[in-house]
Amino acid sequence: MNIQKLTLAISEFSKKKKSNTAYYEENWNERKERKEYYQSFTKDKLLAMTEDDFAEYIGKLWSMLIWGNKKYVVDKLISDNGFKKLKNQLVDLLYGTNDIESRWDTFLKSVKGMGPATISELLTYANPQEYAIFNRTTILSYSYLEISDMPKYNYQYTGKKYVEVCKVAKKISLELQKSGATDYDFLAVDYFLWDEVLPLTEKKLSEVVNVSVSPKSEDKNNSKSLHDEIKEKLVAIGELLGFDSRSEVKIATGAVVDAIWEAKIGNMGKAIYVFEVQSKGSIDSLILNLKKAQSNAAVQAVVAVADEEQLAKIISESMGVIDEKSLRTWDSEDVLAVYDSLVRAHESINKLALVPESF
């Protein structure tokens, strides 16, 4: 870690706190209220939650700001995982006796729809002296502070990496305490990163986002591959755009595609957009799946998603096999960039609370 950069950022942060006390107290009090709310839950209280209680519990998280309709997300969590299993897994994550590395990995492997940002936020509220928030702000801020090997893809957010992130948060907390404050737990560290370091980082965003683990170094033992990562992002982009978006869908006889976006057109029918992701290996199955998908009359376009090199091969080898008018290609790096931009836009808009959540 670049201590000089950290010291300078802490100095600026301290000056701003003194010159605009009301602003900083308001933001810090909001964090304290969130912490108090989540720490009011015990193991037994969490297990006794109704679905409505759970919707409130999840809906208050910062990681949920991207969603205007939080009930849709909560209902999907319950449907995909089962409510009893979901609560039991949360109890094991937050109150289990195993080390945090194994609890983290077990949860991510077992629960669908709750990622690192959400579960680390819950962990931080539960025990802000030990567990740090691990999200986009953390990654960009740590990269600015020259902390190496920050993850770029979700499958790289392992329990081992989370332990490393918490150790760094501890160091930052100790440095913040040297500035005179005594209450700098890891939730306060997150506030410091969000308010002071992130703006510095975003000035050089194009440089910072490349400080990451290369996808070529993918560990076969990771619970999620690059292929799964891109597929999940495609589904999320579709949901954020308002489509009925799903993965692993049978679109035609003998064709299960990676993802679809579906839009109903009144009572006339529907329009479907099909996505197939290629991360490595032979492209024959991708081309065959897209060709079969075109036999479905509702399919308006088929999209091959891969890196630049693979896309060139797909375009070449699909000529004469797939209808060129309905074939689209999308660089996988662009998919990640679009997802990130959409998330940030939705977070900003939803903070305005323009539409009541009951709608």
Side-chain angles (χ1 to χ4, degrees):
M1 178 162 48
N2 188 319
I3 296 298
Q4 185 177 1
K5 280 187 174 181
L6 177 61
T7 302
L8 182 59
I10 290 174
S11 175
E12 290 300 312
F13 183 64
S14 299
K15 290 177 185 176
K16 291 174 184 177
K17 281 180 65 182
K18 290 177 182 177
S19 64
N20 195 350
T21 304
Y23 167 80
Y24 285 92
E25 283 186 353
E26 179 183 351
N27 279 278
W28 179 233
N29 286 336
E30 183 206 351
R31 281 162 171 74
K32 287 174 66 177
E33 288 171 8
R34 287 173 177 270
K35 181 167 61 174
E36 288 168 4
Y37 169 79
Y38 284 99
Q39 289 187 350
S40 73
F41 284 84
T42 62
K43 174 181 176 179
D44 290 339
K45 184 177 178 180
L46 200 156
L47 288 172
M49 279 196 299
T50 65
E51 292 189 7
D52 287 341
D53 294 333
F54 182 70
E56 180 182 5
Y57 180 83
I58 294 297
K60 286 180 176 290
L61 295 171
W62 286 317
S63 63
M64 290 291 288
L65 274 175
I66 65 172
W67 303 106
N69 185 352
K70 295 179 176 61
K71 187 177 185 303
Y72 165 80
V73 180
V74 172
D75 287 348
K76 195 168 188 304
L77 273 173
I78 294 171
S79 173
D80 288 345
N81 298 287
F83 193 37
K84 184 177 180 181
K85 173 190 171 183
L86 191 54
K87 290 192 290 185
N88 283 330
Q89 290 290 343
L90 275 171
V91 165
D92 287 342
L93 173 73
L94 299 176
Y95 310 110
T97 56
N98 290 334
D99 61 85
I100 187 57
E101 180 176 337
S102 60
R103 280 153 50 203
W104 176 280
D105 288 337
T106 297
F107 189 92
L108 286 182
K109 289 176 183 177
S110 304
V111 175
K112 182 179 180 181
M114 291 180 71
T118 298
I119 69 172
S120 65
E121 187 177 344
L122 287 170
L123 282 164
T124 305
Y125 292 138
N127 189 347
Q129 304 296 332
E130 296 293 332
Y131 304 132
I133 290 179
F134 192 17
N135 58 13
R136 176 181 175 274
T137 295
T138 315
I139 298 304
L140 294 180
S141 298
Y142 278 24
S143 297
Y144 174 81
L145 296 172
E146 298 179 20
I147 298 161
S148 60
D149 292 333
M150 286 295 100
K152 183 175 183 180
Y153 303 102
N154 274 0
Y155 71 81
Q156 296 165 337
Y157 285 69
T158 62
K160 181 179 180 181
K161 184 59 66 175
Y162 184 59
V163 170
E164 294 174 14
V165 164
C166 292
K167 287 180 179 178
V168 174
K170 184 67 174 178
K171 293 178 182 177
I172 295 173
S173 174
L174 292 173
E175 291 298 319
L176 282 164
Q177 289 176 41
K178 291 178 183 178
S179 68
T182 58
D183 62 345
Y184 274 109
D185 59 16
F186 291 0
L187 191 59
V189 169
D190 177 75
Y191 180 29
F192 161 69
L193 295 176
W194 172 79
D195 191 85
E196 184 61 36
V197 183
L198 184 62
L200 296 172
T201 303
E202 290 183 328
K203 291 178 182 179
K204 298 182 178 180
L205 184 59
S206 61
E207 299 172 18
V208 171
V209 295
N210 288 324
V211 182
S212 61
V213 180
S214 168
K216 293 180 181 179
S217 66
E218 180 181 339
D219 185 346
K220 293 181 181 179
N221 294 321
N222 280 321
S223 60
K224 295 179 181 178
S225 67
L226 179 57
H227 179 277
D228 294 327
E229 173 81 4
I230 301 300
K231 184 170 63 176
E232 288 176 2
K233 291 295 189 284
L234 287 168
V235 172
I237 290 170
E239 289 173 339
L240 289 168
L241 292 175
F243 288 99
D244 178 7
S245 184
R246 291 166 283 148
S247 63
E248 298 297 323
V249 178
K250 183 177 180 180
I251 197 69
T253 302
V256 176
V257 296
D258 285 326
I260 68 164
W261 295 353
E262 182 178 313
K264 289 183 173 60
I265 307 173
N267 58 5
M268 296 173 60
K270 54 191 175 184
I272 298 174
Y273 304 92
V274 170
F275 299 84
E276 274 284 282
V277 180
Q278 182 70 19
S279 57
K280 57 185 177 181
S282 171
I283 64 174
D284 293 344
S285 61
L286 176 142
I287 292 173
L288 182 60
N289 258 9
L290 292 182
K291 178 177 173 59
K292 289 179 179 179
Q294 287 182 326
S295 67
N296 185 324
V299 173
Q300 305 301 301
V302 294
V303 185
V305 183
D307 60 33
E308 188 176 339
E309 182 180 347
Q310 300 249 41
L311 287 178
K313 292 179 182 178
I314 291 168
I315 292 170
S316 174
E317 295 186 28
S318 65
M319 292 180 110
V321 180
I322 300 177
D323 179 8
E324 294 180 30
K325 292 181 180 179
S326 64
L327 175 64
R328 310 286 192 274
T329 57
W330 198 355
D331 191 299
S332 52
E333 287 297 314
D334 287 343
V335 172
L336 297 174
V338 167
Y339 170 78
D340 188 53
S341 296
L342 271 176
V343 165
R344 294 171 69 192
H346 278 257
E347 284 178 347
S348 181
I349 293 169
N350 290 334
K351 282 178 183 177
L352 301 176
L354 299 177
V355 179
E357 285 187 26
S358 58
F359 275 39

